[in-house]
């Protein structure tokens, strides 16, 4: 579903390559961790898959299509195939949980009324339907992150990209968020997650790709 073929990335003003000759394949329905030291290139891989960042060399395929040269007008349509989750959930504090989760659908020009069924379904999935009319400020850190996940899945993306989604959470909450990702994956969602948390990786028994200074140094199931 996702393929990197000899991908290199040098940022403008970057000191060295953020990625160097990275080749990898991720199949539909897979759950894959990206690990490695700070600065290894994990977020860069996710940003390239999401279309937020262009490659310097090499080719990236998504569902068989070369996404390396998407035009500005094609990009928003491509992005709809992707759900993104960040360490900082990036929720809008002045909007309700429902309005936050609805956002990807409102961008697709649905009305709030039309979006509501999908919003309820996504909140049900993350176990937060009862908080639908609450504001994020009144939610715990773990609940806020789950709202971020509901927003990422509401438009039924093909792949879920998560960048350190448990980075701000304690051990128990990280486990809880992790089991949610595993559940989404067992429902068929392709998930790619960057993480520093090797305990989470070890307890999940999923594929893990380790980066070091922009290169893949291991790719295995622990
Ligand atoms: N916008 C940017 N401009 C210049 N260099 C960048 C930019 N973003 C990242 N880099 C560099 O690219 C390399 C890879 O960064 P990246 O953010 O992908 O690492 P990471 O593995 O996600 O690290 P962390 O675990 O700290 O999040 C690093 O050397 C970083 O300094
Ligand atoms: Mg990062």
């Amino acid at each position: 579903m996702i393929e990197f073929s000899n991908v290199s990335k040098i940022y403008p003003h970057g000191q060295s390559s953020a990625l160097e000759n990275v080749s990898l394949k991720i199949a539909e329905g897979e759950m894959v961790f990206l690990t490695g030291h700070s600065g290894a290139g994990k977020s860069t891989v996710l940003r390239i898959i999401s279309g937020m960042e262009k490659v310097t060399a090499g080719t990236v395929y998504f569902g068989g299509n070369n996404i390396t040269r998407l035009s500005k007008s094609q990009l928003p349509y491509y992005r709809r195939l992707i759900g993104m989750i960040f360490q900082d959930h990036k929720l809008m504090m002045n909007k309700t949980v429902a309005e936050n989760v609805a956002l990807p659908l409102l961008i697709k020009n649905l009305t709030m009324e039309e979006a509501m069924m999908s919003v309820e379904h996504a909140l049900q999935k993350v176990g937060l339907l009862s908080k639908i009319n609450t504001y994020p400020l009144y939610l715990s850190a773990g609940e806020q992150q789950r709202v971020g996940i509901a927003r990422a899945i509401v438009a039924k993306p093909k792949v879920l990209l998560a960048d350190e989604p448990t980075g701000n959470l304690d051990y128990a909450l990280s486990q809880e968020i992790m089991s949610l990702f595993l559940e989404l994956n067992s429902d068929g969602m392709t998930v790619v997650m960057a993480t520093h948390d090797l305990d989470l990786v070890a307890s999940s028994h999923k594929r893990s790709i380790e980066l070091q200074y922009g290169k893949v140094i291991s790719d295995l199931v622990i």
Side-chain angles (χ1 to χ4, degrees):
M1 170 181 235
I2 299 166
E3 181 175 356
F4 277 42
S5 172
N6 294 312
V7 170
S8 295
K9 172 72 184 176
I10 302 171
Y11 285 100
H13 315 296
Q15 304 294 313
S16 55
S17 301
L19 295 179
E20 215 176 310
N21 252 337
V22 170
S23 294
L24 53 88
K25 280 185 189 175
I26 296 170
E28 185 160 9
E30 246 192 305
M31 160 122 209
V32 181
F33 292 104
L34 295 173
T35 64
H37 62 86
S38 178
K42 306 179 292 294
S43 298
T44 302
V45 169
L46 294 180
R47 286 202 297 267
I48 287 173
I49 298 172
S50 75
M52 288 157 72
E53 204 66 69
K54 294 269 178 226
V55 303
T56 310
T59 315
V60 180
Y61 300 92
F62 189 98
N65 298 313
N66 184 341
I67 61 148
T68 327
R69 288 176 226 302
L70 288 178
S71 67
K72 270 213 167 86
S73 59
Q74 290 170 311
L75 202 55
Y77 293 96
Y78 173 67
R79 290 246 179 100
R80 289 179 187 179
L81 305 176
I82 314 277
M84 269 303 268
I85 294 152
F86 304 91
Q87 174 168 355
D88 154 24
H89 48 70
K90 300 194 195 312
L91 298 177
M92 293 181 291
M93 291 301 174
N94 59 342
K95 304 254 187 233
T96 64
V97 165
E99 289 164 340
N100 269 283
V101 173
L103 194 70
L105 298 173
L106 303 183
I107 289 172
K108 284 167 87 171
N109 286 327
L110 267 71
T111 64
M112 195 61 200
E113 210 172 18
E114 290 165 337
M116 220 44 201
M117 219 159 81
S118 303
V119 168
E120 285 174 5
H121 188 253
L123 282 170
Q124 173 107 46
K125 194 79 218 165
V126 302
L128 281 181
L129 192 50
S130 63
K131 306 281 185 179
I132 188 161
N133 292 315
T134 312
Y135 286 84
L137 199 60
Y138 303 114
L139 299 177
S140 71
E143 287 171 338
Q144 290 179 354
Q145 192 54 295
R146 282 193 278 154
V147 173
I149 296 170
R151 182 184 52 191
I153 61 173
V154 75
K156 302 206 177 347
K158 292 267 180 232
V159 56
L160 211 48
L161 306 178
D163 199 349
E164 307 274 358
T166 62
N168 287 331
L169 304 177
D170 66 21
Y171 180 75
L173 279 179
S174 299
Q175 291 287 338
E176 190 186 301
I177 293 292
M178 196 57 229
S179 39
L180 185 53
F181 279 110
L182 290 169
E183 194 185 316
L184 290 167
N185 174 245
S186 64
D187 289 348
M189 180 72 81
T190 309
V191 182
V192 187
M193 181 188 298
T195 185
H196 277 120
D197 190 339
L198 296 181
D199 287 340
L200 271 190
V201 176
S203 62
S204 302
H205 307 291
K206 297 288 183 184
R207 181 176 167 200
S208 163
I209 298 174
E210 185 177 0
L211 294 165
Q212 191 180 72
Y213 299 110
K215 291 183 176 154
V216 175
I217 57 161
S218 75
D219 184 345
L220 40 85
V221 179
I222 300 169

